[in-house]
Amino acid sequence: MSTITVKDGTEIYYKDWGTGQPLFFHHGWPLSGDDWDGQMMFFLEKGFRVIAHDRRGHGRSGQTPNGHDMDTYAADVAELTQALDLKDAIHIGHSTGGGEVIRYVAKHGKGRVAKAVLISAVTPIMVKNENNPDGIPLSVFDEIREGTAFHRPQYFQDFTLPFYGYNREGAKVSQGVRDNWWRQGMMGAIKAHVDCVKAFSETDFTDDLKSVDIPVLVLHGEDDQIVPFPITGAVAVKLLKHGRLISYPGFPHGMPTTEAATINKDLLAFIKS
């Protein structure tokens, strides 16, 4: 296994395949780098260097009780990108990973990052508050914490249905995709998963989005039941200096898996642009 030990002693697992321009993939909650299989293979075969890590407390990384916040997640990525000496990299994040990408780029990415992609991302902020009146009530995230903390095996099984839009009429359900989501989730630390809910729902990325000077592609499904498009992707692109939006009617939150052919095509076009 390839790992680095970051400054607080946590081991971070990563995959690093191929040569060429580096593409660094950041996964969503509560998954692992394995969630990018459909992109890692596609871009490896296109001649890129592909890298995906498991966020601390997730997948095969150390199950530390501490550091489950966006600043620490981004700092972990900074240590890994420095250790791998990545330059001219493109950072691609899904869901929580999108927040991680924009925080990393804003705080640590100067001189190392060429472009970024936010897919179904939690940016700029999810939770409803006085500055975000159209957001999601805190009670919804409290329910996610409750389900994760005390009913995780069944809760994670059930979560795959809205995640992939498998609860929509006429959806073609893949049991293998559902099982793989559950497998990834159950590999991680329960405390890390509970703590991460606050990180992905309450972190405000407004200033990060405004400060980034590089080109950023925003991809979002219009039928995203987990991270609703009108309060995230549609808002985030307006805060970016060099943002471009592609929204997809009917696509679910987990569209990098269910709609990989479309997502990969649009990613490749942006990378080559």
Side-chain angles (χ1 to χ4, degrees):
M1 283 177 44
S2 297
T3 62
I4 66 161
T5 301
V6 296
K7 61 185 178 183
D8 73 349
T10 302
E11 277 199 340
I12 303 296
Y13 169 85
Y14 66 94
K15 295 178 276 193
D16 181 3
W17 307 334
T19 57
Q21 185 177 19
L23 308 182
F24 193 117
F25 294 92
H26 304 242
H27 66 81
W29 174 94
L31 304 173
S32 74
D34 292 353
D35 201 44
W36 291 108
D37 283 354
Q39 285 69 44
M40 296 278 281
M41 289 301 297
F42 176 86
F43 286 102
L44 181 65
E45 292 179 351
K46 296 291 184 184
F48 292 91
R49 179 182 178 185
V50 293
I51 300 144
H53 75 311
D54 293 357
R55 187 171 300 117
R56 62 168 56 217
H58 295 64
R60 290 143 293 205
S61 288
Q63 296 199 356
T64 173
N66 304 314
H68 306 294
D69 59 84
M70 280 294 165
D71 285 341
T72 306
Y73 295 159
D76 289 345
V77 172
E79 289 198 56
L80 178 53
T81 56
Q82 186 172 2
L84 298 178
D85 195 27
L86 301 184
K87 295 184 175 72
D88 195 35
I90 297 175
H91 284 259
I92 302 165
H94 177 250
S95 194
T96 300
E100 182 179 271
V101 163
I102 210 69
R103 179 60 53 90
Y104 162 73
V105 172
K107 303 297 185 187
H108 307 279
K110 192 171 183 63
R112 289 190 178 272
V113 182
K115 298 177 181 178
V117 184
L118 309 179
I119 305 178
S120 312
V122 298
T123 52
I125 186 171
M126 293 269 285
V127 74
K128 181 178 181 176
N129 59 31
E130 60 183 13
N131 297 319
N132 189 39
D134 296 325
I136 298 169
L138 183 63
S139 60
V140 172
F141 301 111
D142 288 339
E143 290 172 7
I144 295 173
R145 274 184 278 264
E146 168 76 15
T148 301
F150 301 108
H151 313 283
R152 187 166 69 149
Q154 188 59 52
Y155 186 76
F156 278 8
Q157 287 274 354
D158 296 341
F159 203 84
T160 60
L161 295 173
F163 193 96
Y164 292 114
Y166 288 160
N167 56 350
R168 295 307 198 205
E169 185 175 355
K172 184 179 179 181
V173 178
S174 167
Q175 191 59 45
V177 166
R178 294 188 66 196
D179 290 348
N180 191 44
W181 196 100
W182 187 87
R183 173 192 68 84
Q184 291 178 69
M186 294 304 293
M187 285 172 68
I190 193 167
K191 185 180 188 301
H193 290 162
V194 172
D195 289 354
C196 187
V197 176
K198 181 179 179 67
F200 76 63
S201 63
E202 297 183 43
T203 305
D204 190 339
F205 300 97
T206 300
D207 289 342
D208 303 286
L209 291 161
K210 289 179 177 178
S211 72
V212 168
D213 292 323
I214 60 171
V216 181
L217 177 64
V218 178
L219 304 180
H220 218 111
E222 294 178 15
D223 192 34
D224 191 324
Q225 300 172 64
I226 308 300
V227 179
F229 169 64
I231 66 166
T232 53
V235 179
V237 72
K238 297 175 183 177
L239 298 170
L240 291 160
K241 293 175 184 174
H242 306 290
R244 180 189 169 206
L245 172 67
I246 304 176
S247 63
Y248 304 92
F251 280 22
H253 186 64
M255 64 185 188
T257 297
T258 61
E259 307 292 344
T262 298
I263 300 305
N264 291 350
K265 174 178 65 70
D266 289 340
L267 283 175
L268 183 61
F270 174 69
I271 290 165
K272 290 187 169 183
S273 66

